[in-house]
Amino acid sequence: MIRLNDFRRIVFFTGAGLSAESGVPTYRGKGGLWEEYDYREYACQRAFDRDPGKVWDFHDERRRFIAAREPNDGHRIIASVPGATVITQNIDGLHQRAGSAGVLELHGSLWRVRCARCGTVTENPEAPIRSRRCACGTWLRPDIVWFEDMLDVETMRAAGDAIARCDLLVSVGTSGVVYPAADLPRLALARGAVAVEINPEETSLSPLYTHCLRGSASEMLARML
Ligand code: APR
């Protein structure tokens, strides 16, 4: 069994499956968010330009739902590993609520908003948000990387640096179908790191990994402790 304390520079690369045990639906597969909602209507810039109120209703519902959820043991174990870097695709903020610091949020956050006109990005924990407009009158946009959006260059650079230095990458609860995020395990392996996949199901990236642990995030992470 792979043991976390056999490694010095650990990166946790996480996806929606980690938050599943907190009751937050994943995106794909049975009960997945995109099974119920068409992301072209709720999670892309074109939908926002077409009907910002509708897109905000969807994200406000997500704020309400996630504000009522708690981090789980998987989040807490990750937060307890000294010096580990967390690179997440999740926008729910549960890593931070479990105590992880310096979390690299590749796909942004549900709890930040930005104004396209002023260029300001602001933390906003309200659920639902009180004002959907900036002081300048422009619609605020959730600071989330939606489909067809570019990822933040600084965040990707910091993620690349952490991957280049790591000796262990632990991928937790991601289907590995969204790029460029899904390139990170391959990058770690190319740099000579050990890479472990934690997922109850096989994924398109499974053949790449050094080890695949078929089980839930909290159960498998506890075994690695
Ligand atoms: N523990 C570990 N893994 C789990 C668990 C669990 N308890 N429950 C489900 N999983 C796995 C599923 O088997 C699946 O492979 O989590 C994965 C979730 O996959 P997705 O729903 O595709 O989520 P993710 O990979 O994070 O999506 C990537 O896609 O929709 C966009 O921007 C969004 O960040 C998101 C990106």
Side-chain angles (χ1 to χ4, degrees), residues 61-74:
E61 182 42 39
R62 296 214 73 198
R63 280 175 171 242
R64 251 194 296 268
F65 186 86
I66 290 172
R69 301 287 159 318
E70 293 298 329
N72 61 59
D73 287 348

Side-chain angles (χ1 to χ4, degrees), residues 3 29 43 57 69 72 89-90 93 98 116 130 145 163 167 179 221:
R3 299 215 170 286
D57 290 347
R69 301 287 159 318
N72 61 59
Q89 298 168 86
N90 298 345
R130 273 201 290 273
V145 177
I163 293 273
D167 56 1
Y179 286 80
L221 285 164

Side-chain angles (χ1 to χ4, degrees), residues 17 39 53 56 58 65 68 70 77 127 134-135 161 165 172-173 175 178 181 191:
Y39 72 83
W56 258 117
F58 170 78
F65 186 86
E70 293 298 329
I77 289 169
C134 176
D161 291 352
R165 285 194 306 273
V172 187
S175 58
V178 173
R191 293 293 181 111

